[in-house]
Amino acid sequence: MAYKKIDNGPQPRQSAFGGVVASVTALAVSLAIASSLVPSNASAETPAERCKRETAAYNSAWATSWVTAHPGTEPDDAPPPPVPYRCGGGRDEPPTLRPDKSTTPSSTATPSPSTSAQPTDGGSGPAVRPSTERNEPASGVDRDQPSIGGTGRAQYSDIPEDELRKLINISARNFHIEIGRLRSELRAFSRQMSLPYSEVLSSAERNAFDAVPVGNPSADATCGKPANRKVGRARRGGDFFYSDSCTEGVNHGHNGLFVSTMATVEASDKKGVHRVANAAESMRVNPQKYYVKAENATNNQKDSAVDYAESRVGKGYNKWGFANNRKGGPEVGHFNCSQLVWAAYYETSGIDLDKDSYGSFVNRNLSPNPGVYPKDLTGSPLVVAY
């Protein structure tokens, strides 16, 4: 099946790093000192020019420090600073950091619903806040992957170190999919989308970090805990749920599509695509329900999504993870949980619930990703939590 190009509106990128505020503040202090050492001709700068120069210096210093902390990477690989630089004060005052609240990491592994969402049968409700939790490659899980060094490294001697590190970071969040297969699939996607492979690889790595918080204490603490709450009745068929779900200590999450107010169709590694008749009464870990807003999907389109999911019951499980699962045509015989929910809407009505491809292709804010993770669906601007 050919991949589809994205044609939705823009989605802002967000980034957050635990334990970096101190280092970022140090950058600001350094920049303040440097500001006093600028050449004499800088006195003729306009405020806008000064702001541009200082911002560039701050961003450059951040990228340098990030590369130092992540051997094998390049400055262009560095994400935006977690605390954006904001110009402030006059010529004799130091620059100021004004942390952007939108970059604050979530305190829980479960996507936070909008507290103001009060759905009714006919209303659309406010959009849910996308999850802002990120897990960057500073975690020990990523630094100490055995395939990077020792005998494991020889197995991938043809893959450059920087590329291999990114592939391993993705694999670790996708049931340890075989590196060679993952590389081949991402290369195929880059060719079909006419995009540089390096761009697709970096985008896929960012997507994996966003969606599967390996090494994040709040997420890891969820693994091993018993189910704590019933999923609850849906408003109607076509809604879906997210719950925390772990494999080998990795909280990748789980989705199911409601086909009625009580029943769901889900995909799992043990049962493949199957129907859960009384899913509303089932116990899950931190479950949260979502509906697609009325302005984004009509009732007929939601019914079509239900029909699609029902027609896939009996199909096998896609064991290759989420990194390359944006497929759902008639030739597809295996699904994982988020793939099934995404495909039910995309294949029937062209409605893309994947937050990471929202506006990514047309506006080039991000590269389009070949994968949709369970948490990606919860951050879509087209859905509301309830």
Side-chain angles (χ1 to χ4, degrees):
M1 172 185 172
Y3 295 94
K4 280 84 170 179
K5 296 189 178 182
I6 318 312
D7 59 0
N8 293 308
Q11 163 103 348
R13 283 183 55 190
Q14 294 182 338
S15 175
F17 297 80
V20 298
V21 174
S23 61
V24 175
T25 303
L27 291 176
V29 172
S30 300
L31 188 55
I33 295 172
S35 296
S36 64
L37 302 177
V38 297
S40 57
N41 61 359
S43 60
E45 287 181 318
T46 66
E49 291 170 337
R50 172 177 176 258
C51 180
K52 182 177 181 180
R53 172 175 55 79
E54 291 178 351
T55 300
Y58 177 82
N59 291 344
S60 176
W62 159 253
T64 300
S65 66
W66 191 90
V67 168
T68 301
H70 302 83
T73 62
E74 301 292 338
D76 288 344
D77 296 327
V83 182
Y85 178 78
R86 297 288 185 269
C87 300
R91 280 284 309 157
D92 298 325
E93 297 177 30
T96 59
L97 278 175
R98 300 172 188 166
D100 184 348
K101 291 182 180 180
S102 67
T103 61
T104 303
S106 168
S107 60
T108 174
T110 304
S112 301
S114 170
T115 56
S116 60
Q118 299 177 347
T120 60
D121 288 338
S124 61
V128 65
R129 293 191 300 270
S131 169
T132 59
E133 181 173 10
R134 293 185 65 95
N135 179 49
E136 292 300 329
S139 73
V141 172
D142 302 307
R143 287 200 306 270
D144 302 328
Q145 288 290 341
S147 297
I148 287 290
T151 57
R153 181 65 180 92
Q155 181 180 357
Y156 305 109
S157 58
D158 62 321
I159 303 179
E161 189 81 6
D162 175 51
E163 179 187 357
L164 179 60
R165 185 175 298 277
K166 292 179 179 180
L167 290 169
I168 289 177
N169 287 340
I170 299 168
S171 174
R173 292 159 172 81
N174 284 274
F175 313 123
H176 299 282
I177 178 176
E178 199 274 319
I179 295 297
R181 180 188 177 106
L182 175 61
R183 187 191 198 202
S184 176
E185 290 182 345
L186 293 179
R187 284 185 176 277
F189 178 78
S190 70
R191 289 192 297 270
Q192 292 181 18
M193 299 299 289
S194 300
L195 290 169
Y197 167 65
S198 59
E199 186 176 325
V200 168
L201 177 63
S202 294
S203 183
E205 185 193 32
R206 284 193 299 268
N207 190 192
F209 281 134
D210 282 346
V212 185
V214 174
N216 183 302
S218 66
D220 294 346
T222 301
C223 296
K225 289 189 174 181
N228 58 1
R229 196 164 65 243
K230 291 182 180 180
V231 174
R233 294 174 64 97
R235 298 165 66 250
R236 72 176 323 276
D239 293 0
F240 67 92
F241 76 85
Y242 169 94
S243 64
D244 288 323
S245 180
C246 300
T247 300
E248 297 180 354
V250 176
N251 183 14
H252 46 73
H254 177 69
N255 299 128
L257 184 76
F258 280 96
V259 294
S260 70
T261 59
M262 296 293 291
T264 60
V265 171
E266 306 175 27
S268 70
D269 58 339
K270 293 182 174 61
K271 298 181 179 180
V273 181
H274 63 286
R275 200 175 196 273
V276 182
N278 199 25
E281 293 297 312
S282 65
M283 297 292 290
R284 305 279 180 164
V285 180
N286 304 323
Q288 178 68 62
K289 297 186 292 294
Y290 296 82
Y291 69 88
V292 183
K293 292 188 286 187
E295 61 263 37
N296 299 122
T298 66
N299 286 341
N300 285 339
Q301 289 173 323
K302 293 177 182 181
D303 291 340
S304 294
V306 167
D307 292 341
Y308 176 97
E310 294 268 31
S311 71
R312 265 57 183 181
V313 170
K315 298 287 188 181
Y317 184 71
N318 177 5
K319 64 180 181 179
W320 299 107
F322 311 106
N324 187 45
N325 66 351
R326 281 175 55 98
K327 307 169 186 176
E331 76 282 3
V332 176
H334 298 78
F335 294 82
N336 49 43
C337 61
S338 53
Q339 176 184 6
L340 179 67
V341 176
W342 173 83
Y345 274 97
Y346 194 86
E347 293 295 330
T348 58
S349 303
I351 297 170
D352 194 340
L353 298 183
D354 181 3
K355 79 175 181 66
D356 290 296
S357 17
Y358 184 73
S360 61
F361 189 82
V362 173
N363 296 284
R364 301 308 298 272
N365 295 324
L366 296 168
S367 295
N369 288 305
V372 53
Y373 293 74
K375 192 177 287 188
D376 287 344
L377 299 175
T378 72
S380 169
L382 310 184
V383 307
V384 174
Y386 66 98

